[in-house]
Amino acid sequence: MDNLWIWLVAAVVVIAAIAGIAFGVRASRSKSAEVEAPAGEPQVEAPKAAEPKAEAAKPAAPAVEVPEPVEGRLVRLRSRLARSNNALGKGLLALLASDKLDDDVWDEVEETLLTADVGIADTTAVVESLRERVKVLGTRDPEELRRLLKAELTAVLEPELDRSIATVSPSGEGPAVILMVGVNGSGKTTTCGRVARVLIAEDKTVLMGAADTFRAAAAEQLETWGSRVGAKVVRRDAGADPASVAFDAVKAGAEEGADVVLIDTAGRLQNKAGLMDELGKVKRVVEKQGPVAETLLVLDATTGQNGLQQAKVFGEVCDVTGIVLTKLDGSAKGGIVIAVQRQLGVPVKLVGLGEGPDDLAPFEVGAFVDAIVDGAES
């Protein structure tokens, strides 16, 4: 009996031990499942190959313009010239077609020419010559009178004068230097840019010097003109010495092999002495590198007799070799061409007939006279 109890107790102990072991194993597994596995090494992505950066788009260079051919510009613009000078030609033809060419009619012819700014001396010469020829020939035929009028106007404009622009240095070396002179407001800087276009149209290489350093916008204006046709502009800050700018421009033109150097100068006529001294200095400094080939005087054709006074002032201190008349297509009177040419004794070489960049034309006596006389019929 005692042995039976011993076996029962032993069996209970064994069963309890087995149950405890089983419970412990289960708990251990459960706890192990709750513990997260340690995170593996972080995966580092391989750097992507850098995509080639697109090159920043460069601003397109401004297209260089090709100026219109010079030949025939005045003929192409003849209608504008005819309209601006219609009163002169129409008035003269009407008077010459009068039933009776007496002293009163010839006085009116003279007055018409004076009103057109021809000037007293030239008006007298034209009227006396025309009157004599009409009397000798005894003609009243309108076509014959037109021919006679053309002949007189052509003669007084002296078609034999050389109106070409100098593009070769008088020394035969280096660029031809052209000084552009005239009062502020005459269109001098604009004309400088337009002259560059005329020369480039004739296959010349041009460099410009912005020596009008007293007018803030002058250099910028000249650079705008230069950029349009690929002409370099030499400039300095406002207020710089104009002569030094001119010197640098001529030097740069020689180094770069330019055919022509155009130098835009100041035009403060209200300070006459200072302006003329300055122009003299510019010319002297430039001529240290070579002679000036040309000095072009720019005049506003609409100023009439005031323009003649300006011409006289510049003629006194500058060796003016040619005249550029701007705004001839506006309210200008055709006679100013005759008057200013005779006053200075130098030819009108270029005329401005509009606002376009290529509305500057070589002056042609025949086309000008045709526009005045024949344009009166339009």
Side-chain angles (χ1 to χ4, degrees):
M1 191 67 178
D2 290 336
N3 288 333
L4 180 62
W5 282 106
I6 292 172
W7 281 106
L8 286 173
V9 171
V12 171
V13 170
V14 170
I15 292 170
I18 292 172
I21 292 171
F23 181 77
V25 171
R26 184 180 297 174
S28 175
R29 287 179 179 175
S30 176
K31 187 173 182 180
S32 296
E34 291 177 2
V35 177
E36 294 182 0
E41 289 292 325
Q43 296 293 320
V44 178
E45 290 187 13
K48 294 181 180 179
E51 295 182 4
K53 291 184 179 180
E55 290 187 8
K58 297 180 179 179
V64 176
E65 299 176 6
V66 179
E68 293 181 4
V70 174
E71 294 78 7
R73 279 194 191 183
L74 190 59
V75 175
R76 178 176 61 81
L77 300 171
R78 176 173 161 176
S79 61
R80 298 182 190 176
L81 189 58
R83 285 196 301 270
S84 67
N85 293 286
N86 205 320
L88 173 59
K90 184 176 290 185
L92 292 174
L93 289 176
L95 290 169
L96 293 175
S98 301
D99 294 334
K100 185 179 180 182
L101 284 175
D102 56 16
D103 290 344
D104 291 338
V105 172
W106 287 111
D107 286 345
E108 288 186 54
V109 171
E110 187 173 288
E111 184 179 347
T112 300
L113 290 170
L114 289 172
T115 303
D117 284 332
V118 172
I120 295 176
D122 290 312
T123 292
T124 301
V126 168
V127 170
E128 287 182 354
S129 178
L130 187 59
R131 186 173 184 174
E132 183 65 24
R133 295 183 69 179
V134 169
K135 181 180 180 180
V136 170
L137 295 173
T139 183
R140 299 302 305 278
D141 178 68
E143 288 303 318
E144 183 66 14
L145 291 173
R146 178 182 284 103
R147 186 187 67 79
L148 292 174
L149 177 58
K150 282 186 177 183
E152 292 302 326
L153 292 175
T154 298
V156 79
L157 282 166
E158 301 177 84
E160 69 279 3
L161 293 176
D162 181 11
R163 301 177 193 277
S164 61
I165 303 298
T167 56
V168 176
S169 172
S171 68
E173 298 180 358
V177 178
I178 299 178
L179 294 181
M180 305 293 295
V181 302
V183 301
N184 289 340
S186 62
K188 179 171 47 59
T189 301
T190 295
T191 300
C192 189
R194 288 179 174 174
V195 170
R197 294 179 70 92
V198 168
L199 296 173
I200 289 171
E202 295 179 335
D203 297 324
K204 304 297 181 183
T205 54
V206 178
L207 182 144
M208 294 187 283
D212 184 358
T213 59
F214 293 94
R215 192 166 64 87
E220 286 79 4
Q221 190 178 353
L222 207 60
E223 281 198 322
T224 298
W225 281 100
S227 65
R228 294 173 68 174
V229 289
K232 181 179 177 180
V233 175
V234 173
R235 59 173 294 186
R236 287 191 181 179
D237 294 336
D241 179 30
S244 65
V245 177
F247 182 89
D248 290 346
V250 176
K251 182 179 179 182
E255 292 172 349
E256 298 181 16
D259 294 318
V260 180
V261 174
L262 288 170
I263 299 179
D264 182 31
T265 62
R268 300 161 300 142
L269 193 59
Q270 64 271 22
N271 184 10
K272 176 181 171 182
L275 171 61
M276 297 309 158
D277 289 345
E278 179 185 291
L279 289 177
K281 180 182 176 183
V282 168
K283 186 174 182 180
R284 290 192 302 273
V285 168
V286 165
E287 288 183 330
K288 289 180 180 179
Q289 301 183 76
V292 171
E294 185 109 64
T295 300
L296 295 178
L297 172 61
V298 181
L299 292 176
D300 181 341
T302 64
T303 60
Q305 294 299 316
N306 287 335
L308 293 181
Q309 295 304 315
Q310 294 172 16
K312 289 179 181 179
V313 170
F314 282 95
E316 291 170 0
V317 294
C318 299
D319 184 19
V320 175
T321 57
I323 301 162
V324 183
L325 277 176
T326 64
K327 307 175 187 177
L328 194 58
D329 64 319
S331 60
K333 301 167 183 176
I336 191 66
V337 178
I338 299 171
V340 71
Q341 182 172 281
R342 303 280 275 198
Q343 286 276 358
L344 266 68
V346 296
V348 172
K349 294 193 171 185
L350 297 163
V351 290
L353 297 166
E355 298 299 324
D358 292 320
D359 286 346
L360 184 72
F363 181 69
E364 300 167 13
V365 172
F368 177 76
V369 172
D370 287 346
I372 290 177
V373 178
D374 294 339
E377 293 295 308
S378 59

